[in-house]
Amino acid sequence: MSSSFGSPVRGELALPASAATGPVRVADRVTWIGALDPDLRTFDIILKTANGTTYNAYTVHGSDGVAVIDTVKQEFTDTFLAHLEQVVGYDQITALVLNHLEPDHTGAVPELLRRAPHLKIYVSPRGVQVLRALLKDDFDTYEIIIVTTGDTVSLGDRTLRFLTTPYVHWPDTQCTYLEEQNLLFTCDLLGCHFCDGRLFNDKVGDFRFSFEYYFDHIMRPFKRFVAQALDLIEPLDIDMIVPAHGPILRSHPREYILHYRRLIKSRLASEVGAEKTLLIFYVSAYGATSQMAYAVYAGAAETPDVRVSLFDLQGGEVLPFIDLIEEADGLAFGTPTINGDAVRTVWDLLSSLVDIDTKGKLGAAFGSYGWTGEAVAMVEARLQGLKMRTPEAGLRIKLHPTEDELEQCRAFGRNLAAHLTGRNAPREIDMP
């Protein structure tokens, strides 16, 4: 089913007849009160959003009160409040659940609290810090309740149970489970930036690309924490997954959980087995760094239980290397110094590593130079900023290497392999 968005005039949204233009019933006594943002093309600077996004917020009505689950981006406060007012009076709201306090989820919080100062606010332990910064001097005027996994709040005949799921993708993140109806409010987890006003996954256009693109850019660096969150979620009876962005997953919701499991699983384990893997990337202006790279490769390859691969960055796109890098144990980068800096292609690859978890991987830098040779130290600093371990000081050689200098490169490669296999004692170089 194709998406129906795409007005020829920017800012004029062509909605299908069934698109949300007000509150939408999600399930019995659960209502969507969010906002559509079809014209958004970049989210948080780093994500492209080809057809915008949604800011999903909800109400849950119980016999003894009403809970609001998350809010929306500040620019959509009026839309959110208009939707809210159509389904409940402010005096009826008893709870505000903030599963995550990034601005796109909490932009309407100050105005909601101004209109309903009596309600209780439920946040995770780490969420309190962000909430204090959001409310500033008004923080102490509200009743704020810190909740962790297993804590509940009763709305009479409806019960909300909390699951602490940190780092998916902020430290404060939690999920909220509506026990009586098997609904799981997941905030960013299992969501995506895909705006279709028909809201439900069995009604909207094809959002598979958006779902995986969102995972790659938001969740992928935190795969270890995503796995822990799935461990909490999987035992639950789940009839519907209700995220804060993108389609509501009411059709085959568990398939999306299973797909997340596939996405976080190592893709190379069966191929590599117990071997350690070292990837060597290089760019060479006049062939000198290339000579070094081949010598580093040859030295590292002498170790039988280390699989070494060599890549010339001039011969390929950067992004396809990300999957390979994510599974690798060690990375070495070779670059000449040009105009006092590393080559741009190397920086492009290094900047792409923010999308994966590089903490604890072995990192190293080497390269040829003509005058000042700053590039190697600059790359080393970046590797340490990515929390990689750099046990060998970067190797710099002026102009083309001699045979003795090529032997230094082979020894450099052998040492990297020895650090990967544990033959060399762990250590970390001191940066100037």
Side-chain angles (χ1 to χ4, degrees):
M1 185 182 298
S2 63
S3 174
S4 300
F5 292 122
S7 170
V9 180
R10 181 87 169 145
E12 293 182 5
L13 175 62
L15 292 170
S18 58
T21 55
V24 176
R25 181 182 183 275
V26 173
D28 180 34
R29 289 193 275 173
V30 179
T31 304
W32 178 88
I33 55 168
L36 307 177
D37 190 1
D39 289 334
L40 184 73
R41 291 295 172 266
T42 303
F43 189 92
D44 279 358
I45 302 174
I46 60 171
L47 274 81
K48 299 300 182 183
T49 49
N51 68 328
T53 193
T54 62
Y55 308 106
N56 300 332
Y58 308 91
T59 58
V60 177
H61 292 244
S63 59
D64 292 340
V66 176
V68 173
I69 312 290
D70 296 319
T71 72
V72 299
K73 194 175 180 180
Q74 184 179 12
E75 293 91 315
F76 296 88
T77 296
D78 289 345
T79 299
F80 164 77
L81 294 174
H83 290 168
L84 177 64
E85 290 168 3
Q86 291 179 57
V87 298
V88 66
Y90 290 111
D91 60 337
Q92 297 173 282
I93 304 171
T94 55
L96 171 61
V97 175
L98 298 175
N99 286 326
H100 172 37
L101 282 93
E102 207 169 0
D104 54 311
H105 306 289
T106 57
V109 167
E111 182 58 26
L112 173 60
L113 293 178
R114 191 183 71 80
R115 302 185 186 200
H118 61 279
L119 55 77
K120 298 178 181 179
I121 307 171
Y122 295 85
V123 294
S124 71
R126 300 291 291 274
V128 174
Q129 305 169 34
V130 188
L131 185 61
R132 183 181 294 276
L134 175 67
L135 299 179
K136 301 189 183 303
D137 293 340
D138 294 331
F139 177 83
D140 291 327
T141 66
Y142 300 108
E143 184 173 358
I144 297 166
I145 299 172
I146 298 172
V147 292
T148 58
T149 297
D151 289 340
T152 60
V153 56
S154 175
L155 303 174
D157 58 357
R158 293 292 184 272
T159 306
L160 299 174
R161 175 155 47 105
F162 301 101
L163 297 91
T164 305
T165 53
Y167 293 102
V168 289
H169 61 119
W170 267 27
D172 66 307
T173 311
Q174 64 182 12
C175 295
T176 302
Y177 181 60
L178 180 54
E179 292 184 344
E180 290 79 8
Q181 294 175 254
N182 300 338
L183 264 68
L184 183 66
F185 299 90
T186 57
C187 202
D188 285 339
L189 189 69
L190 297 161
C192 65
H193 291 309
F194 185 84
C195 184
D196 189 322
R198 293 167 290 191
L199 293 182
F200 297 95
N201 66 320
D202 54 344
K203 296 293 185 183
V204 303
D206 191 335
F207 65 99
R208 288 174 295 180
F209 167 79
S210 298
F211 188 83
E212 293 195 4
Y213 179 81
Y214 186 88
F215 175 88
D216 282 342
H217 289 78
I218 296 293
M219 297 297 165
R220 187 173 184 171
F222 306 99
K223 291 201 301 185
R224 174 166 59 94
F225 297 99
V226 172
Q228 293 171 2
L230 296 181
D231 289 342
L232 282 177
I233 288 169
E234 284 172 329
L236 301 174
D237 292 325
I238 297 176
D239 293 336
M240 193 180 300
I241 293 171
V242 194
H245 294 298
I248 296 167
L249 309 176
R250 69 179 180 185
S251 177
H252 303 100
R254 198 161 288 276
E255 287 298 316
Y256 294 88
I257 297 174
L258 292 174
H259 191 50
Y260 253 45
R261 277 293 184 194
R262 289 189 287 268
L263 291 173
I264 64 176
K265 185 178 180 182
S266 171
R267 302 172 190 181
L268 297 178
S270 59
E271 172 68 20
V272 175
E275 292 176 307
K276 296 295 184 179
T277 56
L278 174 65
L279 309 181
I280 302 171
F281 298 96
Y282 72 94
V283 176
S284 192
Y286 296 103
T289 301
S290 174
Q291 287 181 274
M292 295 180 67
Y294 274 86
V296 173
Y297 169 81
E302 293 176 14
T303 302
D305 46 356
V306 175
R307 180 176 290 198
V308 190
S309 302
L310 184 65
F311 301 99
D312 182 350
L313 291 176
Q314 285 185 297
E317 297 291 333
V318 165
L319 288 179
F321 290 126
I322 300 303
D323 286 343
L324 204 59
I325 290 172
E326 184 173 39
E327 304 299 338
D329 301 296
L331 308 170
F333 297 89
T335 176
T337 298
I338 297 179
N339 294 328
D341 204 343
V343 177
R344 178 176 177 177
T345 312
V346 172
W347 286 128
D348 287 344
L349 182 55
L350 288 170
S351 67
S352 298
L353 301 189
V354 297
D355 289 334
I356 61 175
D357 183 7
T358 56
K359 184 177 181 180
K361 292 183 186 294
L362 180 141
F366 61 91
S368 173
Y369 68 101
W371 293 100
T372 49
E374 298 95 336
V376 169
M378 295 169 75
V379 171
E380 284 181 324
R382 176 60 177 155
L383 298 179
Q384 293 194 330
L386 289 166
K387 298 188 179 349
M388 297 175 66
R389 56 190 180 96
T390 52
E392 291 293 315
L395 180 61
R396 302 188 311 155
I397 291 176
K398 192 173 181 69
L399 300 179
H400 283 266
T402 65
E403 183 52 44
D404 286 344
E405 288 171 328
L406 287 175
E407 177 53 34
Q408 292 178 35
C409 296
R410 287 188 283 270
F412 186 74
R414 285 191 289 269
N415 284 337
L416 294 180
H419 285 294
L420 282 175
T421 58
R423 292 182 176 90
N424 280 359
R427 61 172 179 163
E428 187 72 17
I429 63 169
D430 294 325
M431 299 296 292

